Amino acid sequence: MLSQILKELQSDQLIERKSYNQIPPKVEYKLNEKGKSLIPILKMMADWGKENSPKSKENF
């Protein structure tokens, strides 16, 4: 499942993959600039989720 998601993110040009020719095999993934541009949006969505979760309503 993780491999499939990483391939989709790479296909959508949100992450970069770097493979090392060694034993054992090593692969690294990192966000590229396009992927990094999503960080503020994801943070806002996480904040909204925290504010609107059933647990947060118990505190009112």
Side-chain angles (χ1 to χ4, degrees):
M1 189 66 175
L2 176 60
S3 296
Q4 180 182 347
I5 292 170
L6 289 169
K7 286 178 184 177
E8 289 175 13
L9 291 170
Q10 189 177 9
S11 174
D12 292 337
Q13 300 177 357
L14 297 172
I15 62 171
E16 296 174 2
R17 180 182 190 269
K18 183 175 182 179
S19 58
Y20 297 87
N21 195 12
Q22 66 183 44
I23 298 178
K26 178 181 174 182
V27 178
E28 291 180 351
Y29 293 90
K30 69 176 185 173
L31 286 173
N32 58 23
E33 291 304 311
K34 184 177 177 182
K36 289 178 185 176
S37 71
L38 291 171
I39 292 173
I41 297 165
L42 295 172
K43 182 175 177 349
M44 287 190 305
M45 290 174 66
D47 292 343
W48 183 91
K50 289 175 189 172
E51 291 171 10
N52 293 283
S53 71
K55 278 190 169 184
S56 68
K57 291 180 181 178
E58 292 173 6
N59 295 331
F60 288 111

